[in-house]
Amino acid sequence: MADENKSKELEHDDESGFQFAKEMLDGDVTAAINFDRLQYHPVYGYILFEYLNCDEEQPNATPYTSHPNRYWFRNKRKFISLWQAAQAMGAILVLVNYAKAGTLHEDKIKVIRVIELDRDGIKKEESCNCTREIFQAWFRKLNRECLD
């Protein structure tokens, strides 16, 4: 009998589900959003993570300086939907600004816990800037706590 408390390592990105939905929509605009990560913590409850990649092609934006309110006009539907989903689940919404490994700003990560959001943007938040190493230690600790 399998141990129901066991989980597996992340091995690959599940793009097949995304590709399937895209195929089925056949070019229609989507009404959905994809969550990057949802996990249950024994103390904090559900935590909904959204990873926000700061692309090197954006010369004035780093993970420390970028913020969803700066590009709200382009992605407000996504953030409002994430907030609504988090509220419906009683979850904490955490946005993580990062740059890909091997890029100029790879060691800059900003963590934003959204506390209040409305149709015009994020109104209240808690945020911190950290290094990749510090974020990784915190993230791994949080993950282990969720496995208990």
Side-chain angles (χ1 to χ4, degrees), residues 40 44-48 83-93 113:
Y40 182 79
Y44 306 122
Y46 283 103
I47 305 169
L48 177 58
W83 178 247
Q84 289 171 336
Q87 294 295 289
M89 291 184 281
I92 296 168
L93 177 57
R113 177 182 176 184

Side-chain angles (χ1 to χ4, degrees), residues 11 15 17 21 34-35 60 63 110 112 142:
E11 294 180 14
E15 291 186 11
N34 294 327
F35 296 167
N60 298 324
K110 180 178 199 153
I112 304 168
L142 186 73

Side-chain angles (χ1 to χ4, degrees), residues 13-23 25 30-38 48-52 75 77-83 85-86 89 93-95:
D13 189 10
D14 183 13
E15 291 186 11
S16 62
F18 173 82
Q19 291 301 328
F20 178 72
K22 184 176 177 179
E23 175 191 347
L25 286 171
T30 185
I33 57 164
N34 294 327
F35 296 167
D36 285 324
R37 183 175 181 88
L38 176 66
L48 177 58
F49 285 92
E50 182 66 17
Y51 303 130
L52 307 172
N75 275 349
R77 182 183 202 126
K78 169 184 176 175
F79 293 110
I80 290 170
S81 294
L82 285 167
W83 178 247
M89 291 184 281
L93 177 57
V94 178
L95 309 175

Side-chain angles (χ1 to χ4, degrees), residues 84-124:
Q84 289 171 336
Q87 294 295 289
M89 291 184 281
I92 296 168
L93 177 57
V94 178
L95 309 175
V96 181
N97 286 358
Y98 73 99
K100 290 181 181 177
T103 63
L104 179 63
H105 299 292
E106 71 178 343
D107 203 34
K108 296 175 182 169
I109 295 179
K110 180 178 199 153
V111 180
I112 304 168
R113 177 182 176 184
V114 178
I115 303 201
E116 185 180 330
L117 181 149
D118 67 19
R119 59 186 299 269
D120 297 318
I122 296 171
K123 300 302 180 191
K124 191 172 181 185

